[in-house]
Amino acid sequence: MNKRVAILISGSGSNMISLVEAMKNPAFGAEPVLVLANNPDAGGIAKADAMGIPTAIVDHRPFKGDRPAFEDELHRVISAHSPDVICLAGFMRVLTAGFIDRWEGKMLNIHPSLLPKYKGLHTHQRAIDAGDEAGGVSVHVVTAALDDGPILGQASVPILPNDTAEDLAARVLVQEHRLYPEVLKEFLNS
Ligand code: GRF
């Protein structure tokens, strides 16, 4: 029986696409049952529509900062698709324990740094500014503390002289698209 995967995005959805493409292989043992965005302008929604995957928008703005109300609606829409696992893929809303506890151990996130270094935003610039030799990406289980859950996989990418944050981000994204499907497959079979 295929495992059911919901993917949450806020932007272009390149990680979402790499997950969906990987799930096309029957040996992966999973299927995308929902692509959801909090941003009505997320480019990834049209891409998911074009791939025939059910999509939904739960815009956080009408909730005017009422996170529990936003998350209740998020939970209601996601639950209607009965996923076994939720993959956060460039989903830019910070979720509270109130939501995370309802999906405990069933939610993964991809973060563009070598955690535990550089939790939060602007990870590539911070690695460059610190003079690090490498940047990278981590896939972890989501827990109540931001970008802090058990790390399931990482990939390191060298920082080159004169690298800008954009240069590094582009090289890290290549590794993201390889790592996330790999880690998801292992997680689903564990
Ligand atoms: C990725 O770099 C991901 O690591 C981060 O947000 C970016 C989203 O990119 N959390 P995309 O929307 O998947 O292209």
Side-chain angles (χ1 to χ4, degrees), residues 17-93:
I17 291 171
S18 67
L19 291 170
V20 169
E21 290 297 329
M23 284 187 260
K24 286 182 180 169
N25 177 351
F28 199 100
E31 60 186 292
V33 295
L34 174 68
V35 173
L36 179 152
N38 66 299
N39 168 11
D41 303 322
I45 289 294
K47 296 168 188 170
D49 282 333
M51 293 189 282
I53 303 162
T55 60
I57 302 284
V58 180
D59 188 343
H60 62 279
R61 293 167 298 185
F63 294 91
K64 298 188 169 33
D66 184 345
R67 285 178 186 273
F70 166 65
E71 291 176 353
D72 282 348
E73 179 61 5
L74 202 57
H75 182 74
R76 187 189 67 76
V77 174
I78 293 170
S79 300
H81 296 265
S82 327
D84 299 295
V85 171
I86 297 174
C87 288
L88 305 182
F91 186 71
M92 301 309 281
R93 299 304 296 169

Side-chain angles (χ1 to χ4, degrees), residues 9-16 88-92 109-113 124 137-138 169 172-173 176-177:
I9 67 172
S10 295
S12 63
S14 72
N15 277 290
M16 176 272 294
L88 305 182
F91 186 71
M92 301 309 281
N109 180 44
I110 188 161
H111 181 76
S113 82
H124 304 304
V137 54
S138 308
V172 170
L173 205 56
E176 293 187 33
H177 297 161

